[in-house]
Amino acid sequence: MKDRITIALPKGRVLKEAIGLFGKAGMDCSAILEDPRRLITEREDLGLRFLVVRDQDVPTYVEYGAADLGVAGRDVLLEQGKDLYEPLDLGIGYCRMVVAEPAEMVKEDDPSQWSHIRVATKYPRITERYFLNKGIQVEVIRLYGSIELAPLVGLSERIVDLVSTGETLRKNGLVEVEEIMEVTSRLIANRASLKMNYRRVKEILEVLEKTVKEMKDDKALEL
Amino acid sequence: MEQRGYGERGILPLGMKDILIEGSMGMDYAEGVISDIFERWGYRRIITSLLEYEDVLSRGIDGELRKGLLKFIEHPTGRVVTVRPDITPQVARIVATRLKEWPKPVRIYYSESVVRSIRDQIPHLREIFQIGAELVGIEGPEGDAEVVAMAVGALTGLGMREFHITIGHVGFLRGVLGGLPIEEADKQALLRAIRLKDRSGIMDVLSPLSIKEDYRRLLHDLPLLYGGREVIEEGLKAVKGLEPAEKALHNLREIWRLLELYGVSGYVTVDLGEARGFHYYTGMVLEVFLKGLGRGVGRGGRYDGLLERYGYDSPAVGFAFDMEDIVTGGLGRRAGRIDFLISGDEREAIRVADFLREMGFKVARDLKGMDRDERMDYCRKNGVSFLLDLLSEGLVRVEEVDTGRKATWRVEDILSGKVVLSSLKRG
């Protein structure tokens, strides 16, 4: 009997894309969408079990081996710096992490003159590292949501946040001034599982990699 | 009365801990079994110094370890003293200075704690209890195979079956990267991607570089070069002509052959793309994984250059287990039970307890006349198997704590050996 492999998927915007990708790769888990309150979905016939957890908790489940594999954004992985393998860029959940500030501030603002700045973000470690790398002292204000609000009420001058269409920024009168990085979701793996279940994990990796490539090619054709 | 707590200031320094009874008994059990196995392989124990001069220790450690030392100043001399972060460099120092003339190989083991900094949200120190063995003076694969086989022996000796030891070879990666015309910054980025087994990341670094296609292929596939014995052959095909990497693989192949002779290769996997481990490793490296525990519970490898840093050139190889992980990951509640809690008339209780102890049982006496609830609570918390209740007229009631099964015997039958107590003891 094969050992069951547990895969942690992130709640939220990437979930549907991830389910689609696993489905195309022959690991259908669309049952997850039937009941949004269900946290565990079994596919005993495939030897798989899917967990749906908060996106920021996925690396933790995988690091401790509660899940063998997981899907996590590059933003979350870099912020948390956990001891994991990140074998595959799944190419889903694309967005960008940017520095933004109010539109009226942009007019007289010169990023090269920044010295001590206040930045609100959900990503304190990435933010701090990014600005320290540029030699800029930064006071990071860690928020858990609605980051765009911070500059509007004077909590901070700038924010670091994810944007996909830029719509939220625009609505709140904010303008992107610098891009920190592009973000996509990655397949992550527990170190022990990858080695102890190497045959199965390798199989899953290979079929996912193939599927990701096909999807990329399809997209290229559409364009 | 106002309670005097320690609140947010904490009661122990960050990362330090007391290990309570259950954990300690488990550690003690595991230490007993493992050191017994080590001794059966001809290894003998040493105890190393808790403190080291930083400048002396620093010869033996690099990178990460050196950053996370617990240090203070030694008053009479003004020298910086540190708590040992790793035992292997101490063993290297001891053999290189004190056991130089000793016949080789030197086989030693230790069971001690180290204090080192760990990677976490907030980096802090942690005390880690290690039991490990070092084989000094054997250069060839026989040495590597012996320590891997002994590590397997220690784990099976503890009754474990579901574990893996991964072996790799630092010479392989060094060999592969050594031939690459690439700048230091790119090399670091590449190493990071290899560490994460991040194939996309590897391609990001390589795509702007002009390197041969088969080389690019090899680096891209590096994260997948793990698995059984076949991986060594795959690797050999992939690095054909790249001599240092080939040499590393021939070495691994020979180690694998010996592991088959030892009959332990079923527990071993190969990972050629593993880029973790201390800087002092020079050859085979190993890491131990238990089923159900997400991180490695032991690690080691060959460190042929380390003794030379203390003035005596000798090859060496060794490994250590993290004791707490071994206990939490593999033992459960097996260790440290008490056989009997005995209550009743003091003269009689002392007599019976003495007799049972003489027979090798673990016996605790009820010194304060506990009522039933207190006794059951005591038994559950301390892992007592049986209650012995001395009644009047030379009778004793025996009760098995877990099942509630009861029997009444005559005390004289116990003392004369008529009642076979060992049949009570769970095997």
Side-chain angles (χ1 to χ4, degrees):
Chain A
M1 167 71 196
K2 281 181 182 177
D3 272 339
R4 182 176 55 183
I5 298 285
T6 300
I7 303 174
L9 301 178
K11 259 183 213 163
R13 65 181 181 97
V14 183
L15 183 61
K16 265 193 187 159
E17 269 187 282
I19 290 172
L21 176 66
F22 277 87
K24 275 209 180 85
M27 293 176 274
D28 174 53
C29 52
S30 51
I32 291 170
L33 296 170
E34 285 163 18
D35 178 2
R37 279 163 309 184
R38 185 158 64 190
L39 302 178
I40 300 181
T41 298
E42 299 275 357
R43 281 303 307 264
E44 255 164 65
D45 49 330
L46 300 176
L48 295 175
R49 178 168 72 166
F50 293 89
L51 312 179
V52 180
V53 301
R54 243 188 101 107
D55 61 341
Q56 288 167 333
D57 292 338
V58 171
T60 308
Y61 277 81
V62 176
E63 182 184 32
Y64 285 93
D68 303 293
L69 301 173
V71 172
R74 185 166 177 231
D75 53 332
V76 174
L77 292 169
L78 280 174
E79 180 64 24
Q80 300 185 356
K82 297 223 185 277
D83 197 15
L84 299 162
Y85 290 133
E86 302 174 15
L88 187 60
D89 185 347
L90 297 173
I92 58 174
Y94 176 83
C95 60
R96 297 175 309 121
M97 189 180 289
V98 303
V99 186
E101 60 185 36
E104 64 268 26
M105 195 166 151
V106 175
K107 288 172 212 144
E108 61 252 41
D109 195 25
D110 175 2
S112 70
Q113 295 305 303
W114 289 350
S115 74
H116 185 88
I117 62 173
R118 254 194 318 178
V119 181
T121 184
K122 270 192 257 185
Y123 304 95
R125 289 173 97 193
I126 295 175
T127 303
E128 183 161 67
R129 240 176 300 156
Y130 176 73
F131 286 109
L132 287 182
N133 252 331
K134 296 165 64 110
I136 299 165
Q137 291 296 110
V138 60
E139 182 183 340
V140 178
I141 299 174
R142 198 224 195 280
L143 295 178
Y144 292 85
S146 305
I147 312 295
E148 312 78 24
L149 184 60
L152 306 182
V153 294
L155 185 56
S156 69
E157 296 110 34
R158 297 175 183 83
I159 64 169
V160 164
D161 205 6
L162 298 181
V163 297
S164 42
T165 59
E167 188 52 30
T168 316
L169 287 186
R170 252 193 313 283
K171 266 195 192 143
N172 289 292
L174 299 174
V175 175
E176 171 186 338
V177 280
E178 285 186 348
E179 177 181 297
I180 296 181
M181 63 177 150
E182 294 186 301
V183 172
T184 47
S185 291
R186 279 153 190 271
L187 186 77
I188 58 175
N190 174 267
R191 298 192 59 227
S193 310
L194 181 124
K195 298 190 190 203
M196 292 192 64
N197 302 313
Y198 66 90
R199 285 202 181 87
R200 290 221 59 204
V201 172
K202 239 184 207 179
E203 270 168 30
I204 294 177
L205 266 176
E206 276 163 9
V207 59
L208 277 175
E209 188 173 24
K210 211 169 125 241
T211 312
V212 169
K213 201 167 166 291
E214 283 165 9
M215 287 172 76
K216 226 186 248 168
D217 293 346
D218 288 351
K219 230 181 233 165
L221 279 180
E222 278 166 33
L223 290 179
Chain B
M1 206 176 87
E2 192 196 348
Q3 203 181 343
R4 293 195 26 205
Y6 293 85
E8 292 179 346
R9 290 178 55 221
I11 199 167
L12 279 176
L14 283 179
M16 298 299 122
K17 72 185 126 211
D18 305 313
I19 298 176
L20 298 188
I21 297 167
E22 187 126 336
S24 302
M25 294 303 288
M27 300 249 292
D28 184 61
Y29 171 75
E31 182 187 44
V33 172
I34 295 171
S35 53
D36 180 53
I37 303 275
F38 287 174
E39 285 176 23
R40 291 192 215 179
W41 284 72
Y43 286 67
R44 299 170 76 204
R45 184 167 182 167
I46 59 161
I47 295 175
T48 68
S49 167
L50 172 65
L51 305 178
E52 289 258 351
Y53 282 127
E54 189 195 15
D55 56 308
V56 177
L57 179 80
S58 288
R59 285 196 223 169
I61 60 170
D62 310 273
E64 288 290 304
L65 272 185
R66 200 182 284 201
K67 273 189 258 166
L69 296 173
L70 176 59
K71 301 181 221 183
F72 53 91
I73 307 286
E74 180 182 62
H75 282 298
T77 62
R79 289 177 75 181
V80 178
V81 171
T82 115
V83 179
R84 59 185 175 213
D86 187 11
I87 308 287
T88 301
Q90 292 192 302
V91 171
R93 172 180 58 73
I94 291 166
V95 177
T97 55
R98 307 288 303 279
L99 299 175
K100 257 195 300 202
E101 312 300 333
W102 205 265
K104 302 293 172 308
V106 179
R107 291 185 166 97
I108 41 190
Y109 78 91
Y110 54 82
S111 178
E112 297 176 327
S113 66
V114 299
V115 174
R116 66 171 71 136
S117 165
I118 58 153
R119 247 161 45 100
D120 208 341
Q121 288 284 30
I122 309 163
H124 59 75
L125 294 169
R126 175 167 289 178
E127 182 174 13
I128 301 170
F129 296 82
Q130 296 193 317
I131 184 164
E134 314 284 353
L135 172 64
V136 182
I138 300 289
E139 194 178 1
E142 276 280 17
D144 307 77
E146 172 164 308
V147 299
V148 174
M150 188 167 72
V152 171
L155 294 169
T156 52
L158 285 167
M160 297 183 190
R161 291 294 175 269
E162 298 196 293
F163 62 86
H164 261 269
I165 296 186
T166 334
I167 59 173
H169 199 294
V170 297
F172 177 76
L173 259 189
R174 280 179 199 157
V176 168
L177 296 182
L180 209 56
I182 137 178
E183 285 181 25
E184 190 55 29
D186 285 337
K187 196 170 169 182
Q188 289 309 318
L190 190 59
L191 270 173
R192 180 175 182 281
I194 292 172
R195 258 179 76 94
L196 296 174
K197 294 198 182 291
D198 173 5
R199 302 175 81 195
S200 336
I202 293 173
M203 287 325 272
D204 287 348
V205 178
L206 295 182
S207 55
L209 304 176
S210 61
I211 53 173
K212 275 198 296 188
E213 193 45 43
D214 51 344
Y215 213 8
R216 191 185 300 269
R217 192 79 237 152
L218 163 65
L219 286 162
H220 183 238
D221 286 343
L222 210 48
L224 290 179
L225 277 177
Y226 67 89
R229 196 216 122 97
E230 71 282 358
V231 170
I232 302 175
E233 304 308 321
E234 278 172 39
L236 272 170
K237 256 182 257 154
V239 298
K240 220 171 180 65
L242 207 59
E243 204 196 318
E246 276 184 317
K247 212 173 133 203
L249 291 176
H250 285 135
N251 180 248
L252 273 185
R253 188 198 256 169
E254 190 53 23
I255 293 168
W256 188 279
R257 187 184 69 80
L258 292 163
L259 293 176
E260 280 176 346
L261 284 187
Y262 279 110
V264 300
S265 57
Y267 291 106
V268 183
T269 52
V270 178
D271 189 347
L272 297 179
E274 187 58 83
R276 295 165 200 241
F278 295 136
H279 292 220
Y280 52 63
Y281 290 131
T282 55
M284 182 203 73
V285 286
L286 69 99
E287 191 166 4
V288 182
F289 293 95
L290 302 185
K291 191 179 171 70
L293 211 62
R295 53 184 182 276
V297 301
R299 56 202 60 74
R302 174 166 287 285
Y303 47 96
D304 287 351
L306 191 54
L307 272 80
E308 197 188 1
R309 301 193 209 170
Y310 293 99
Y312 171 72
D313 190 8
S314 175
V317 58
F319 70 96
F321 294 120
D322 290 349
M323 286 289 282
E324 280 180 278
D325 283 346
I326 292 278
V327 172
T328 50
L331 291 185
R333 290 170 56 105
R334 230 176 313 152
R337 290 190 72 93
I338 295 171
D339 299 305
F340 299 104
L341 175 66
I342 182 164
S343 317
D345 173 72
E346 57 191 16
R347 180 188 301 273
E348 199 77 335
I350 289 171
R351 203 155 70 100
V352 175
D354 271 353
F355 174 80
L356 292 172
R357 287 179 189 131
E358 196 77 16
M359 304 263 295
F361 290 105
K362 297 172 188 163
V363 187
R365 259 190 69 211
D366 172 4
L367 300 179
K368 56 177 212 188
M370 291 186 262
D371 66 26
R372 188 171 166 80
D373 285 351
E374 285 177 304
R375 269 196 271 168
M376 290 315 279
D377 188 42
Y378 184 90
C379 288
R380 272 191 294 271
K381 297 239 167 71
N382 288 287
V384 178
S385 300
F386 295 96
L387 281 171
L388 281 187
D389 208 351
L390 294 161
L391 311 169
S392 53
E393 291 162 18
L395 294 176
V396 55
R397 190 171 56 224
V398 188
E399 177 177 350
E400 188 173 18
V401 175
D402 285 352
T403 63
R405 212 156 40 107
K406 291 190 194 77
T408 305
W409 294 338
R410 282 158 36 99
V411 174
E412 284 318 310
D413 287 346
I414 295 180
L415 297 183
S416 68
K418 259 196 195 162
V419 180
V420 186
L421 286 161
S422 54
S423 67
L424 283 176
K425 249 182 120 171
R426 51 194 65 195

